[in-house]
RNA sequence: UCCAGCGUGGCUCAAUGGUAGAGCGGGUGACUGUUAAUCACUAGGUUGUAGGUUCGAGUCCUACCGCUGGAGCCA
């Protein structure tokens, strides 16, 4: 047999002899037959090796989890196999025998898994997330590519700050200071003046000391920038863009989402148009007594649910005291553990919520929304929420002033549903040279290093704008994850660089 | 940076201040349909580090280190 097949192709190869190359996810032995849970990156299938093939049978004698091997055998429809298909193996060729693979099929702690991230990636859950991540990225690029955008790569070493300087990673660039990119935007604006519709996709770096479930120090961002686009155009672009991504994932990765336990019905509603609020309307909503009442009711309902969960735990513990079979005890213990985790999460939410409600009531126009305000606002809608026209003071210098209300700028944030927070931030850009200069002056910025950027306002300035989508927060939302660390193969977090 | 919790075998966890244990994983053996297989046997420990209290410390106290959760910070 000179050609190789993959697990994903097996349903189309019934009764044919195939050779697969991959790894042992698990192996069980039952006297004269061995069952190999075989994975090759394209999928998982069960392989059986019977003692009537003595060489193949013996070859698997001492093979542990993650042993690499090639198997040859006949593909059979088999209802007793988990996937409905299995390979009846006649030949086995071992690449390498793996001994004592550290990640067992039982539960592990976060620290241990993060230290073994390079091996953790082989687990079914991580595979599913990686596939969804890939789909999100390819759908995002497909959306722009089909709409006449040109990909422009912007530099990662940058001479200065586009955002707050306190959050830049500085590097020594042959004796001169340089910084890792926080955004490709300024460069992308120049490219939009050349190509009209452009986007960049690359890693960005933030030195924020944020130790939360939604912050990475290195994350990937895809940023479109379009000449002649104004705020309303950006709103439409963002909702069509997100809808396309979500629908693409639903079309291609439904099995992955289900493996992750994602409530897919919540994603099916994600279609343009999205709800829109101006910042001022959002502040009014936060002050609305009807909202406060709704939040109070929600709090009471969750407190009730917490009580019910505690009751269930008590019931299970009672059952536990009457059960003696080892496997049943294990099962009950696990159920109890899961409920206890839920209660913990719920109690945390319940303890934070009164302060969040107070924050909403006392929120003053002019401040930026914190995570709690974002969560409250986004939870009032099933679809992502577009919030526009924030106060000038809390936003970046390059954002275009709003003519109708000069206290605000022509920007937009898109907040993901279910409390996943801001996934898109962007704006129409200030295209008037004098206004841009006076804005920079007001921020205490030296215009000298930005002359190249200011040239755009000197030579054929036009209205334009763009936004950035954070890939990892999008993955987190679409997969329904609790923590952003699982959204990227090798997360860089405050205080964690290994492996 | 602040607050809280946790550090016990490779992993996940037990252990009133009084002889450190279990499950999984590893090893050996049994079993021709397993699904986290099952059953029997077996090896594996300076309880994060350094001090202190005590007749006696995994357990109490102090400091440090590490991790987790949260707060703050944050296109």
């Amino acid at each position: 047999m000179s050609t190789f097949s993959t697990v994903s192709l097996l349903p189309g190869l019934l009764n044919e002899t195939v050779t697969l190359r991959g790894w042992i996810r698990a192996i069980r032995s039952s006297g004269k037959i061995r069952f190999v849970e075989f994975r090759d990156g394209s999928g998982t299938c069960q392989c059986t090796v019977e003692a009537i093939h003595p060489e193949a049978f013996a070859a698997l004698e001492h093979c542990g989890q993650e042993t690499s091997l090639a198997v040859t055998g006949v593909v059979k429809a088999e209802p007793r196999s988990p996937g409905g298909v299995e390979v009846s193996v006649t030949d086995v060729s071992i690449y390498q025998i793996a001994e004592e693979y550290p990640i067992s099929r039982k539960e592990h702690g976060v620290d241990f898994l993060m230290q073994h991230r390079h091996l953790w990636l082989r687990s079914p859950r991580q595979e599913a997330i990686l596939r969804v991540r890939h789909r999100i990225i390819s759908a995002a690029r497909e959306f722009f590519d089909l709409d006449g955008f040109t990909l422009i790569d912007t530099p990662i070493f940058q001479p200065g700050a586009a955002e707050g300087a306190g959050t830049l990673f500085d590097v020594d660039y042959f004796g001169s200071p340089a910084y890792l990119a926080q955004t490709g935007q300024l460069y992308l604006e120049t490219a939009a003046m050349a190509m009209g519709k452009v986007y960049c996709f690359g890693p960005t770096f933030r030195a924020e000391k944020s130790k939360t479930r939604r912050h990475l120090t290195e994350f990937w961002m895809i940023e479109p920038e379009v000449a002649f686009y104004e705020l309303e155009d950006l709103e439409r672009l963002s909702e069509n863009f997100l809808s396309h991504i979500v629908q693409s994932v639903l079309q291609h990765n439904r099995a992955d989402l289900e493996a992750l336990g994602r409530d897919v019905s919540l994603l099916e509603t994600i279609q343009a148009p999205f709800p829109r609020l101006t910042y001022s309307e959002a502040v009014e909503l936060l002050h609305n007594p009807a909202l406060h009442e709704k939040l109070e009711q929600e709090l009471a309902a969750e407190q009730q649910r917490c009580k019910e969960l505690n009751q269930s735990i008590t019931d299970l513990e009672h059952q536990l005291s009457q059960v003696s079979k080892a496997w049943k005890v294990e099962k009950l213990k696990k159920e109890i553990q899961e409920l206890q985790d839920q209660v913990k999460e719920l109690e945390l939410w319940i303890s934070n919520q009164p302060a969040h409600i107070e924050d909403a009531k006392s929120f003053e126009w002019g401040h930026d929304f914190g995570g709690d305000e974002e969560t409250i606002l986004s939870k009032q809608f099933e679809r992502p929420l577009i919030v526009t026209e924030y106060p000038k003071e809390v936003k970046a210098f390059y954002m275009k002033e709003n003519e109708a209300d000069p206290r605000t700028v022509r920007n937009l944030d898109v907040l993901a549903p279910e409390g996943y927070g801001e996934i898109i931030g962007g704006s129409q850009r200030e295209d008037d040279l004098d206004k841009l200069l006076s804005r920079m002056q007001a921020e205490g910025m030296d215009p000298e290093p930005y002359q190249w950027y200011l040239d755009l306002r000197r030579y054929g300035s036009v209205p334009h704008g763009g936004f950035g989508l954070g890939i990892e927060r999008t993955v987190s939302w679409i997969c329904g994850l609790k923590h952003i660390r699982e959204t990227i193969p090798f997360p860089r977090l405050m205080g964690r660089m290994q492996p």
Side-chain angles (χ1 to χ4, degrees), chain A residues 73 82 94 142 144 160 222 227 234 240 251 260 272 305 378 426 459 496-497:
Chain A
I94 305 288
E142 173 186 68
F144 292 131
I222 188 160
L234 294 171
N240 289 332
Q251 189 190 335
L260 292 166
R305 217 183 113 222
S378 69
Y459 305 110
R496 190 181 287 278
M497 274 278 279

Side-chain angles (χ1 to χ4, degrees), chain A residues 212-380:
Chain A
T212 81
R213 55 176 79 179
R214 21 185 237 225
H215 284 88
L216 292 163
T217 55
E218 176 182 310
F219 65 96
W220 288 69
M221 192 155 64
I222 188 160
E223 300 175 86
E225 188 76 31
V226 189
F228 306 105
Y229 262 35
E230 303 199 13
L231 178 57
E232 295 72 18
D233 301 305
L234 294 171
E235 291 172 25
R236 276 193 295 275
L237 185 69
S238 69
E239 66 192 357
N240 289 332
F241 178 52
L242 281 177
S243 305
H244 176 78
I245 291 172
V246 172
Q247 294 309 317
S248 179
V249 172
L250 283 173
Q251 189 190 335
H252 296 101
N253 298 79
R254 200 166 275 264
D256 291 319
L257 293 175
E258 277 159 11
L260 292 166
R262 184 63 164 114
D263 183 348
V264 176
S265 68
L266 295 176
L267 295 176
E268 276 165 347
T269 61
I270 308 300
Q271 306 226 29
F274 295 166
R276 290 160 164 75
L277 291 177
T278 65
Y279 170 86
S280 297
E281 287 166 346
V283 174
E284 269 177 42
L285 178 56
L286 288 174
H287 290 164
N288 190 333
L291 174 70
H292 305 152
E293 199 178 317
K294 189 179 164 194
L295 293 173
E296 296 285 358
Q297 282 171 4
E298 201 184 344
L299 180 58
E302 294 295 331
Q303 278 166 338
Q304 181 58 34
R305 217 183 113 222
C306 198
K307 264 189 200 165
E308 286 166 12
L309 283 175
N310 274 319
Q311 185 56 49
S312 308
I313 291 172
T314 313
D315 292 349
L316 284 177
E317 277 169 348
H318 182 67
Q319 283 181 39
L320 189 60
S321 65
Q322 297 179 332
V323 164
S324 57
K325 279 192 180 172
W327 68 270
K328 226 169 185 176
V329 167
E330 280 291 305
K331 200 178 155 211
L332 280 173
K333 275 187 179 169
K334 201 184 170 190
E335 277 176 37
I336 290 169
Q337 184 62 47
E338 275 171 13
L339 287 177
Q340 279 170 342
D341 288 348
Q342 278 182 39
V343 166
K344 226 174 163 183
E345 187 85 358
L346 209 51
E347 277 173 347
L348 183 66
W349 185 87
I350 287 167
S351 69
N352 284 332
Q353 192 62 2
H356 290 171
I357 295 173
E358 275 317 302
D359 286 350
K361 283 180 184 168
S362 61
F363 188 85
E364 286 178 46
W365 197 100
H367 289 81
D368 204 353
F369 294 132
D372 49 347
E373 283 94 12
E374 282 183 357
T375 301
I376 288 174
L377 288 170
S378 69
K379 281 199 168 169
Q380 307 313 308

Side-chain angles (χ1 to χ4, degrees), chain A residues 141 144-145 149-152 188 198-201 222-224:
Chain A
R141 296 196 47 169
F144 292 131
D145 293 346
F149 282 71
T150 301
L151 174 70
I152 300 291
L188 205 58
V198 296
Y199 72 99
C200 67
F201 177 56
I222 188 160
E223 300 175 86

